Amino acid sequence: MAIKKKIAKTKAKKKKTKSAKKSRKKLRTKKKVVTKKSATKKRSKKTRITNKLKTNKREVKKMSTETIKSDVSASLDTSHLKVPFPYKKKYGNYINGKFVEPLSGKYFDNVSPINNEVICQVPRSDAKDVDAALDAAHEAFKEWGKTDITTRSNILNKIADVLEKNLNLLATAECLDNGKPIRECMAADLPLVIDHWRYFAGVIRAEEGSIAEISNSQYSYNIPEPLGVVGQIVPWNFPLLMATWKLAPALAAGNCSVIKPAEQTPASIMLMMELIGDLLPPGVVNVVSGFGLEAGKPLASSKRIAKIAFTGETTTGRLIMQYAAQNLIPITLELGGKSPNIFFEDVMDKDDAFLDKCVEGFVMFNLNQGEVCTCPSRALVQESIYDKFMEKVIARTKAVVQDNPLKMETMIGAQASVEQMEKIKSYLDLGKKEGAKVLCGGEVAKLNSGLENGNYIQPTIFEGDNKMRIFQEEIFGPVVSVTKFKDEAHALEIANDTLYGLGAGVWTRNGNIAYRMGRAIQAGIVWTNCYHAYPAHSPFGGYKQSGVGRETHKMMLNHYRQNKNLHVSYAENKLGFF
Amino acid sequence: MKVTATKSALELIQQLKDTHGENLLFHQSGGCCDGSAPMCYPANEYLVGDGDVLIGKIGGIPFYISETQHEAWKNTDLIIDCISGMGGMFSLDNGTGKRFLTRSEICVPEGTNLN
């Protein structure tokens, strides 16, 4: 419902034109600045070369600014969204408050999954760039860590305001970078990004440390203190939202960050930093773009970080724990799941709005093309309603509109990378070999009109057994594996028969069943009569092999803080031991 | 469960050996994002333990999977292939423009009574 409303809102002509005008004005101003900077650059070339010789090797070169890329094909045209094409031809790393060239001078092409066309170039950074970013972050922490909470909170609120003013532009950028539908970017990703910044701005104003009265002359004051400089590695499925989940609490708690976006989706965070960078003191946030092995590993294994936060898969999760063990630093790991979505027979007691909501709840496996750690990728349907319920959800799945993600009507877009599409294909192939029945989809989607080279998979429903690999491993695509259950105990047995425990859904009109199932399912979040809800004050994280720690919610602050126990004696007299 | 490699995967393994030396290992990942990708590391950088199962060697390199994942995947044989791609996290194929991909075939688990 909320999504419908928001889409309707974005469709409202007046508002659209107004914000578009604002965005255009902003970009026009930026272009002017760009021209001015380029001219200055030419004039001062000689001086710059002399200065360069004087500086040490680690010092970074200021990025030459580039004009907006405009020579893209019709499939990537954004004019119907009333925003200009959002990306420049090239971005630098964002270090110490400015965009700088990677020290090696190397860049790589960033393609849009919509048609695999190059949309911009980003740095192919290495350990030296990570070091430069860590230098800047450590310098910035000297002040930022002591900045009063009101100031930090106000900055976070200003960040949210700027992002909100540029919502359509950022949503378009996210759609181009990741391939997700523009309507999800506008109605879910960006509103959640904005909400997270505001939530952490608010929550740090309201919280307090604690005081324990040990005796009437001895007190223990517990004061939260930031960890320092933290390393953060962001996945490619929600580039801006996952960056925000990591940055907002870290900054709110007083830390500085060196953050690496995924090499598959490295660009939207650069646009975000262009917009919000000047609101933060230089060095508080440093974005280093590059490959995992060349830039991510030096960051994760650095002795100069006080914590590492990572979202990804289990093998790298273990490796990151290993590095953290060597450096004795804390971690937050979010490693995925195979979340069960359970439909009890009473959902079909009436043919009403709630049943319609349940049907949508099933089809939620298509959200973000299934590239969600909590994708409801196992559906458990009670056998007494199985045929009738499946008829409804198959019809609803077949009605999912798959097209260019930049169209407002599109419900499912492109998989984030070619290799991701290949992996999903390998599981479609395996599912069939395992003997699962394809109830709908099951193939690569062949789209035309300029999308022939994009990464599209048909929404797919497999029917099978929970012991099959397609029920046991995260496919990370629009693929759900469905099985039947007899009763509550059977549903619980299947739900918990997995290595992971990140999310789960329970759908029933019976509050007692909902409560019992919710408590007994071994997962970090059990959505009851809803799914895919990610408000900032709802904690997110996994049981079992789904990871360590939580993200979102104020409890996240303590993942980015130390506790200082200031233990004070107000007694005049000695203890008497010595 | 067996593990084998395609010709193109063996070529990529050789390329990685030429760059990083012979002493490498594979570990099969699970979970989100790049999950299900076979990860290749210098053998002295990745800690395998009692909770891992050695399922074979490809291109002379040992291939491990965690015991719990082995249990869930035991009805399949793994065929390590090589495709174009740029991901792979900290795996040594990352940045080469190619990456390993796990494909699977159904197998008969050891100890199954076929009669």
Side-chain angles (χ1 to χ4, degrees):
Chain A
M1 288 298 137
I3 288 184
K4 270 190 189 170
K5 269 185 199 167
K6 278 170 189 166
I7 289 167
K9 248 189 182 177
T10 49
K11 277 185 174 174
K13 273 188 181 174
K14 271 188 183 176
K15 201 176 171 187
K16 217 174 174 184
T17 326
K18 204 178 166 188
S19 66
K21 271 183 188 168
K22 267 187 194 171
S23 305
R24 278 200 298 272
K25 200 177 167 187
K26 192 161 185 125
L27 281 162
R28 271 204 301 273
T29 324
K30 283 208 165 179
K31 268 194 178 177
K32 277 180 197 165
V33 175
V34 168
T35 328
K36 204 178 166 187
K37 273 183 185 168
S38 306
T40 322
K41 208 184 156 196
K42 273 178 201 167
R43 279 199 301 274
S44 59
K45 204 179 170 187
K46 251 188 180 176
T47 338
R48 203 159 43 84
I49 293 167
T50 328
N51 285 344
K52 199 184 153 192
L53 292 170
K54 285 179 191 167
T55 55
N56 72 37
K57 275 185 185 171
R58 195 181 276 175
E59 188 155 325
V60 283
K61 278 187 278 177
K62 196 168 182 186
M63 180 69 190
S64 60
T65 39
E66 301 281 335
T67 49
I68 298 289
K69 186 177 166 73
S70 54
D71 53 341
V72 289
S73 66
S75 311
L76 302 185
D77 180 49
T78 60
S79 56
H80 63 290
L81 299 168
K82 309 292 178 203
V83 294
F85 189 80
Y87 290 120
K88 290 176 178 172
K89 286 183 178 173
K90 195 191 265 186
Y91 287 89
N93 285 320
Y94 188 79
I95 295 175
N96 208 20
K98 53 186 185 287
F99 283 96
V100 293
E101 305 261 8
L103 290 164
S104 67
K106 286 186 192 167
Y107 289 83
F108 67 95
D109 288 340
N110 177 37
V111 299
S112 171
I114 295 174
N115 62 356
N116 279 306
E117 182 177 330
V118 176
I119 51 171
C120 61
Q121 285 193 314
V122 290
R124 183 167 177 167
S125 309
D126 58 29
K128 287 179 183 164
D129 301 294
V130 172
D131 265 344
L134 285 166
D135 287 346
H138 277 279
E139 190 56 35
F141 180 68
K142 290 175 188 168
E143 290 303 319
W144 182 251
K146 287 181 267 178
T147 307
D148 64 80
I149 283 168
T150 312
T151 305
R152 286 210 300 269
S153 170
N154 288 345
I155 289 175
L156 266 55
N157 271 322
K158 279 180 194 156
I159 288 173
D161 292 345
V162 170
L163 297 178
E164 195 165 46
K165 277 180 193 148
N166 291 279
L167 190 149
N168 285 5
L169 185 72
L170 285 159
T172 307
E174 193 73 323
C175 175
L176 285 162
D177 204 11
N178 169 277
K180 63 178 74 194
I182 186 68
R183 66 180 211 149
E184 279 180 26
C185 300
M186 285 184 176
D189 291 59
L190 265 297
L192 284 170
V193 164
I194 295 156
D195 184 52
H196 274 76
W197 286 104
R198 292 216 171 104
Y199 172 78
F200 282 103
V203 86
I204 51 168
R205 291 292 300 274
E207 62 150 19
E208 292 161 1
S210 67
I211 301 171
E213 184 178 346
I214 310 298
S215 72
N216 63 3
S217 64
Q218 223 183 119
Y219 290 82
S220 167
Y221 302 95
N222 288 293
I223 306 161
E225 293 181 352
L227 293 175
V229 173
V230 299
Q232 303 182 311
I233 297 179
V234 182
W236 43 259
N237 57 344
F238 292 88
L240 287 176
L241 185 58
M242 293 302 104
T244 301
W245 276 22
K246 289 179 167 53
L247 284 173
L251 266 51
N255 301 278
C256 294
S257 167
V258 176
I259 188 165
K260 191 192 96 63
E263 50 268 54
Q264 294 90 339
T265 54
S268 57
I269 193 171
M270 297 302 184
L271 186 65
M272 182 169 91
M273 292 319 297
E274 272 192 316
L275 294 167
I276 66 167
D278 60 357
L279 297 173
L280 288 159
V284 171
V285 174
N286 304 277
V287 184
V288 180
S289 146
F291 288 89
L293 184 63
E294 295 162 356
K297 184 180 163 184
L299 175 61
S301 57
S302 173
K303 290 179 175 57
R304 301 170 69 203
I305 53 170
K307 183 212 168 81
I308 180 80
F310 169 74
T311 299
E313 35 55 62
T314 55
T315 293
T316 309
R318 273 174 60 169
L319 190 56
I320 282 177
M321 278 183 122
Q322 231 179 272
Y323 296 144
Q326 283 158 13
N327 293 326
L328 288 171
I329 56 167
I331 47 157
T332 306
L333 297 178
E334 203 280 89
L335 305 177
K338 190 69 187 174
S339 304
N341 204 12
I342 308 164
F343 298 87
F344 283 93
E345 59 189 1
D346 63 35
V347 301
M348 290 203 73
D349 282 356
K350 287 182 204 166
D351 190 359
D352 57 0
F354 178 69
L355 176 60
D356 192 41
K357 185 187 180 192
C358 296
V359 172
E360 185 193 46
F362 183 105
V363 183
M364 281 286 193
F365 72 91
N366 290 294
L367 190 95
N368 206 44
Q369 297 74 241
E371 292 169 350
V372 192
C373 300
T374 38
C375 175
S377 54
R378 288 191 297 151
L380 281 50
V381 180
Q382 195 152 11
E383 61 183 8
S384 52
I385 58 161
Y386 187 81
D387 292 340
K388 282 184 183 170
F389 187 72
M390 288 310 295
E391 196 181 310
K392 283 182 181 290
V393 297
I394 290 168
R396 188 74 62 90
T397 304
K398 284 182 176 167
V400 170
V401 177
Q402 184 160 40
D403 200 347
N404 189 329
L406 285 163
K407 289 186 183 171
M408 282 305 287
E409 301 74 26
T410 298
M411 299 178 190
I412 184 167
Q415 308 303 141
S417 65
V418 174
E419 62 244 54
Q420 182 57 23
M421 187 172 69
E422 282 295 323
K423 183 179 90 181
I424 299 165
K425 270 164 66 181
S426 80
Y427 273 107
L428 294 177
D429 185 37
L430 176 61
K432 291 167 196 166
K433 287 178 192 164
E434 285 185 299
K437 193 172 159 192
V438 179
L439 300 183
C440 73
E443 305 290 339
V444 167
K446 299 284 179 202
L447 303 187
N448 48 29
S449 312
L451 306 177
E452 293 80 0
N453 294 325
N455 316 327
Y456 299 91
I457 300 276
Q458 295 172 350
T460 298
I461 305 177
F462 274 124
E463 179 186 86
D465 183 278
N466 195 57
K467 292 292 176 197
M468 292 174 174
R469 276 260 310 268
I470 53 164
F471 281 80
Q472 287 295 323
E473 196 49 61
E474 184 74 270
I475 297 172
F476 228 53
V479 184
V480 63
S481 304
V482 190
T483 195
K484 299 172 194 173
F485 66 88
K486 288 188 182 64
D487 53 23
E488 194 180 321
H490 189 209
L492 186 63
E493 184 193 325
I494 300 171
N496 284 336
D497 181 15
T498 170
L499 301 181
Y500 306 101
L502 193 54
V506 175
W507 301 82
T508 172
R509 296 173 195 261
N510 183 323
N512 296 348
I513 292 177
Y515 175 77
R516 285 194 300 267
M517 288 296 290
R519 291 303 302 270
I521 294 172
Q522 294 162 348
I525 181 162
V526 181
W527 284 291
T528 307
N529 294 332
C530 59
Y531 208 95
H532 275 329
Y534 303 97
H537 50 299
S538 177
F540 182 96
Y543 282 33
K544 303 198 276 190
Q545 291 186 25
S546 289
V548 180
R550 292 292 179 269
E551 289 195 302
T552 69
H553 194 268
K554 67 179 178 183
M555 66 176 71
M556 190 59 199
L557 288 169
N558 284 340
H559 286 54
Y560 281 107
R561 289 194 302 214
Q562 294 278 14
N563 181 68
K564 172 61 56 67
N565 174 0
L566 200 62
H567 193 113
V568 182
S569 167
Y570 295 103
E572 300 294 339
N573 298 327
K574 66 179 182 181
L575 289 172
F577 281 126
F578 302 104
Chain B
M1 178 188 270
K2 288 199 308 282
V3 61
T4 53
T6 63
K7 190 169 169 280
S8 58
L10 289 171
E11 284 166 7
L12 182 55
I13 291 171
Q14 190 54 53
Q15 185 189 326
L16 298 183
K17 281 180 174 177
D18 293 343
T19 316
H20 302 280
E22 298 276 324
N23 199 17
L24 307 176
L25 65 75
F26 276 98
H27 195 275
Q28 175 61 52
S29 76
C32 81
C33 305
D34 285 32
S36 297
M39 301 295 188
C40 182
Y41 303 113
N44 58 2
E45 274 194 32
Y46 196 82
L47 188 65
V48 287
D50 292 346
D52 292 298
V53 180
L54 175 66
I55 56 169
K57 284 189 173 187
I58 50 170
I61 297 177
F63 194 105
Y64 293 91
I65 186 169
S66 76
E67 202 172 58
T68 46
Q69 202 169 337
H70 179 260
E71 180 61 26
W73 288 33
K74 67 184 176 191
N75 295 338
T76 53
D77 285 333
L78 310 184
I79 301 112
I80 307 308
D81 199 0
C82 168
I83 56 166
S84 295
M86 59 194 293
M89 301 306 302
F90 304 170
S91 181
L92 295 175
D93 51 341
N94 180 251
T96 61
K98 295 175 212 156
R99 63 180 302 195
F100 296 111
L101 173 79
T102 300
R103 299 189 192 280
S104 312
E105 288 289 343
I106 305 303
C107 70
V108 181
E110 282 171 36
T112 305
N113 186 355
L114 296 171
N115 295 316

